[in-house]
Amino acid sequence: MTGRGVSDSISSGLDALGALAEPTRRRLYEFVAQSGRRVGRDEAAQGAGIGRSLAAYHLDKLVEHGLLEVDYARPPGRSGPGAGRPAKLYRRARGEFVLRAPARDYRLLAELLVRAADETGGAVKEAIERGARDLGRSLGAAARRQGGDTGEALRALLHERGYEPAEAEPGMLRLRNCPFDAVASRHPAIVCGLNLALIDGILAGLGGDPASATLAPQDDVCCVAIRTAPD
């Protein structure tokens, strides 16, 4: 990337992340992001505890800065003449913004290492998963020593690591975000295996059943799902 390109990228990132400095705007962004689905203006306003007009203003600013994306759809059951205009619905944008000073490129390092592992074969992949499982076990054991509810400890650990856990249905925990998404999209076999091994280890360290974590790929979420209740 040229000096001008780097400068433009930094400026764009600053503008986007700076938009979240405004408390009301940040509440709206967090509400939409945590919903894990498309959200209309009325629902977002209610979730943030503000009026609809103010919510609409801030939501559109978040779109302008690339933090949210917009879809249009009519409410269920309303179609044909007289149904009115489609509603404006918001969801978290897939793009990401990262700022560091001085510049660091950990994504490039991850890309190089994962690419090498992909080309080398099974032994390296097994070593990566073994290391991820060991690290997860250490994280889980440390959380377990602090006491408290195991389920809450699991959710807190996953949240700290950027997975954004949420109960998709009774007894099933889905992870709404993959912290390694940019690399996972190009090397899913390596990264999904790493994700599963890490979460297996966390469960084992917490004293849970590692087998409750399973690969269950879906669009726009992490490839791992966790059973939190017996079948």
Side-chain angles (χ1 to χ4, degrees):
M1 186 180 288
T2 65
R4 177 62 181 274
V6 170
S7 177
D8 290 346
S9 177
I10 291 174
S11 177
S12 174
L14 281 171
D15 288 346
L17 296 178
L20 296 176
E22 206 287 325
T24 299
R25 198 169 296 169
R26 186 166 64 251
R27 287 204 311 277
L28 280 166
Y29 175 78
E30 290 172 349
F31 179 81
V32 174
Q34 291 169 9
S35 295
R37 55 183 172 76
R38 301 183 301 175
V39 173
R41 288 174 168 176
D42 289 332
E43 184 181 357
Q46 185 175 4
I50 59 175
R52 187 181 189 279
S53 296
L54 183 59
Y57 170 78
H58 284 300
L59 287 166
D60 287 340
K61 282 294 181 182
L62 289 166
V63 172
E64 181 182 317
H65 287 290
L67 292 161
L68 297 181
E69 295 175 354
V70 171
D71 292 323
Y72 293 87
R74 287 192 174 93
R78 296 182 61 183
S79 60
R85 292 190 302 173
K88 202 170 188 178
L89 303 174
Y90 301 83
R91 58 189 173 92
R92 180 170 57 185
R94 293 207 60 178
E96 61 184 59
F97 298 91
V98 179
L99 291 176
R100 294 187 180 93
R104 300 286 186 265
D105 199 341
Y106 300 114
R107 182 191 293 179
L108 177 60
L109 174 62
E111 178 74 31
L112 291 170
L113 293 175
V114 170
R115 185 175 296 183
D118 239 354
E119 294 175 357
T120 305
V124 175
K125 182 175 184 292
E126 289 173 8
I128 290 173
E129 291 178 4
R130 191 162 54 248
R133 192 171 288 108
D134 288 345
L135 175 59
R137 190 177 292 109
S138 296
L139 293 170
R144 188 180 185 184
R145 285 193 293 270
Q146 295 176 10
D149 180 75
T150 299
E152 291 180 5
L154 172 63
R155 287 171 172 78
L157 263 177
L158 294 171
H159 184 75
E160 288 171 9
R161 299 294 153 182
Y163 284 104
E164 298 183 7
E167 192 172 50
E169 57 188 76
M172 181 64 70
L173 201 65
R174 291 295 323 204
L175 310 175
R176 289 192 303 238
N177 184 57
C178 175
F180 320 116
D181 182 66
V183 181
S185 62
R186 291 187 289 276
H187 307 278
I190 295 283
V191 178
C192 289
L194 180 157
N195 267 323
L196 180 60
L198 179 66
I199 293 168
D200 279 350
I202 288 174
L203 288 165
L206 286 168
D209 179 10
S212 62
T214 183
L215 286 178
Q218 289 184 3
D219 291 340
D220 299 329
V221 298
C222 177
C223 52
V224 179
I226 305 169
R227 292 191 309 277
T228 56
D231 291 333

